[in-house]
Amino acid sequence: MTRPTGPVSGSVGVGSLCVLVASVLWGTTGTAATFAPAVGPLAIGAAAMGLGGLLQALVAAPRIAREMSALRAQRGVVVLGALAVGAYPLAFYTAMHLAGVAAGTVVSIGSAPLASAVIERVVDKRRLTRRWMTGAALGLSGTVLLCLAEAAQAHSGPGAHSVRTTVLGVGLGLVAGFTYALYSWAAHRLISGGVSSGAAMGAVFGLGGLLLLPVLLATGAPLFGSWSNAAVGTYMALVPMFTGYVLFGWGLAHVPASTATTLSLLEPAVAAVLAVLVVGERLPPLGWTGIALVVGCLAVLTTPTRTAPPTRTSPRALVSEAEPGERAESPEKATPARHPAEW
């Protein structure tokens, strides 16, 4: 059973809203991590994504059991997505540790839309639309300005990062962006193939969580060193990762992975605003300009478009307009439904 590929505008709007709310939740992780400075990036990533993924699998267990045959039919996609889930948090949180929260987050999240577009273009043969490219250009420009503003401020202080660690952090950020795009594509591929969003996300993130358990066991001792550390780990697993990725799965049921990853450019903007309001950091005008561009990107991608009402064409006219020796299409097949990626 295959799901239809032409959702109505209302479902696209709901899917976009789910992704945006998930991005807001993800944007709180950097601020939350500042309340547990003794916990390393590997432990934070393994606890957040590992425990959150296992919880998703536990909640979705009945659906996974009912749809096991469909998941087995696409087991290659499930395994690929799970490997990406296992790699993503280790690369993402280490990138923030080495290059700084601003640069690490912006590179990781900012490179994901381009990676998603390449994956969809190569694997699914999906064309890149003018609307998506406009939104992506605004969002990426905004994230670059935000990165430059915050990184310049961070590197001018006493805790400035060396060039070598920054380059390594940026490289790991690119790895994180690619793996984020990869598991987003895998989940969307499963959902498009007839698997429910709960079963798809539960299977992919549950297996990914199992892969992260050894890392958590090896590095997670500081999480139990104090109540504050344990509270941060619990919050990261339950709110940004579990709740956020449940919403993200719902969003992937209505929008393609390239659109979802582009909408998630809201995450670094939220992280920057929270750093100003909660942590007490200062954001220069260049950073606020970047946030404005990100908001513009979201407006381009989420504003409904007006579609012209279809013109009624009689079957006789279709037959008369067909070329000699060419079979005329039926009215139902004359205009194919547009996929969300073709906004």
Side-chain angles (χ1 to χ4, degrees), residues 199-215:
M201 299 295 285
V204 170
F205 280 78
L207 287 177
L210 288 176
L211 296 176
L212 288 168
L213 278 183
V215 179

Side-chain angles (χ1 to χ4, degrees), residues 134-286:
T134 301
L138 286 173
L140 291 174
S141 299
T143 52
V144 168
L145 291 181
L146 185 60
C147 177
L148 292 174
E150 291 200 1
Q153 183 173 339
H155 283 247
S156 62
H161 302 271
S162 69
V163 174
R164 182 177 180 180
T165 57
T166 300
V167 170
L168 180 57
V170 169
L172 288 173
L174 293 175
V175 173
F178 175 75
T179 52
Y180 172 34
L182 191 59
Y183 69 68
S184 300
W185 171 85
H188 180 73
R189 183 68 172 260
L190 292 172
I191 295 169
S192 299
V195 181
S196 67
S197 63
M201 299 295 285
V204 170
F205 280 78
L207 287 177
L210 288 176
L211 296 176
L212 288 168
L213 278 183
V215 179
L216 179 60
L217 293 175
T219 63
L223 284 169
F224 306 98
S226 67
W227 285 107
S228 61
N229 290 351
V232 169
T234 302
Y235 169 81
M236 299 274 275
L238 292 180
V239 180
M241 297 306 155
F242 173 70
T243 306
Y245 278 104
V246 168
L247 291 169
F248 190 67
W250 292 346
L252 286 174
H254 304 292
V255 298
S258 57
T259 300
T261 52
T262 305
L263 290 172
S264 65
L265 290 174
L266 179 62
E267 177 184 347
V270 171
V273 171
L274 287 178
V276 172
L277 297 179
V278 179
V279 183
E281 295 183 0
R282 297 183 60 185
L283 189 63
L286 190 64

Side-chain angles (χ1 to χ4, degrees), residues 11-26 243-255 260 263-264 266 302:
S11 64
V12 172
V14 171
S16 299
L17 180 62
C18 288
V19 174
L20 291 176
V21 175
S23 301
V24 172
L25 296 180
W26 297 336
T243 306
Y245 278 104
V246 168
L247 291 169
F248 190 67
W250 292 346
L252 286 174
H254 304 292
V255 298
L263 290 172
S264 65
L266 179 62
T302 58

Side-chain angles (χ1 to χ4, degrees), residues 96-115:
M96 288 196 298
H97 178 72
L98 294 176
V101 174
T105 302
V106 168
V107 171
S108 300
I109 305 303
S111 62
L114 299 180

Side-chain angles (χ1 to χ4, degrees), residues 118-139:
V118 170
I119 292 172
E120 290 182 353
R121 180 64 178 168
V122 173
V123 180
D124 300 332
K125 309 301 180 184
R126 192 183 310 283
R127 68 184 181 90
L128 303 181
T129 65
R130 186 177 302 173
R131 181 172 182 176
W132 180 88
M133 288 188 289
T134 301
L138 286 173

Side-chain angles (χ1 to χ4, degrees), residues 29-116:
T29 57
T31 299
T34 61
F35 292 96
V39 182
L42 296 181
I44 286 287
M49 207 80 160
L51 297 180
L54 291 176
L55 185 56
Q56 281 199 60
L58 180 63
V59 172
R63 291 185 178 182
I64 294 174
R66 287 196 302 266
E67 303 178 41
M68 185 57 69
S69 59
L71 291 169
R72 285 175 178 170
Q74 303 186 69
R75 56 183 173 272
V77 177
V78 175
V79 171
L80 186 63
L83 291 173
V85 167
Y88 169 75
L90 306 182
F92 176 61
Y93 288 99
T94 305
M96 288 196 298
H97 178 72
L98 294 176
V101 174
T105 302
V106 168
V107 171
S108 300
I109 305 303
S111 62
L114 299 180
S116 291

Side-chain angles (χ1 to χ4, degrees), residues 290-304:
I291 290 178
L293 289 175
V294 170
V295 173
C297 156
L298 304 179
V300 168
L301 293 178
T302 58
T303 301

